[in-house]
Amino acid sequence: MTGQGASGDYRIVVGVDGSPGSVLALEWAVREAGQRGATAHAVMAWEHPQPYAANVWGLGMDPALDIQEALASAAAAEAARIAGEVGEAQDMVVTSAAFEGHPATALLQAAQDADLLVVGSRGHGGFVGALLGSVSQHVVCHASCPVVVVPDADRHHS
């Protein structure tokens, strides 16, 4: 790990997809960043549905940039809202980005030089009752940094 400091040396990447689990993961990551004076980097990933993509590119259009900008803006707004609520440290930096591609692949690439990767236990598309979703399970197995999987709020521990 690279350490911590006001300059944001310590970098936390968090997966965001708008699901309740990803909001909890983002809240956890922002709090952790606040405690460390670190950077929390919210990452969204998206993929074109295949029939849509084939038709649009055939017409010479590429909506990828508009989608990427809209998702990055949505991630930034949610991260800023949570950072404002948490308000743990003035030294905390919150950034965001959106990438085209499979969420697990995008998160692993974004976290290559990170100190920590944070994901929710299940996002959109998760099987009801599953302990881990496919993305969280994949990043736990393949990340080059430690991974925190934030559990669902409605999961009761006995």
Side-chain angles (χ1 to χ4, degrees):
M1 299 205 185
T2 61
Q4 59 191 46
S7 63
D9 292 334
Y10 195 93
R11 188 166 169 266
I12 301 169
V13 172
V14 56
V16 179
D17 68 1
S19 68
S22 78
V23 171
L24 289 173
L26 182 58
E27 289 172 354
W28 191 97
V30 167
R31 279 190 171 83
E32 186 70 14
Q35 292 172 359
R36 294 179 180 269
T39 298
H41 184 61
V43 173
M44 289 187 106
W46 57 278
E47 293 180 293
H48 284 291
Q50 291 302 358
Y52 172 75
N55 292 335
V56 172
W57 278 284
L59 299 173
M61 298 170 57
D62 184 0
L65 293 177
D66 290 338
I67 293 170
Q68 186 169 348
E69 289 175 11
L71 290 178
S73 177
E78 184 66 9
R81 181 189 68 78
I82 290 172
E85 287 178 6
V86 171
E88 293 279 339
Q90 296 176 19
D91 293 339
M92 174 182 50
V93 175
V94 179
T95 61
S96 61
F99 299 100
E100 184 176 5
H102 189 274
T105 303
L107 287 171
L108 290 172
Q109 288 175 349
Q112 282 181 337
D113 63 346
D115 295 285
L116 189 63
L117 174 58
V118 180
V119 293
S121 59
R122 293 180 311 193
H124 288 301
F127 292 104
V128 175
L131 218 48
L132 289 179
S134 60
V135 171
S136 55
Q137 187 172 18
H138 188 82
V139 299
V140 163
C141 293
H142 299 285
S144 59
C145 63
V147 178
V148 170
V149 180
V150 177
D152 291 339
D154 62 351
R155 184 167 295 281
H156 299 294
H157 300 284
S158 44

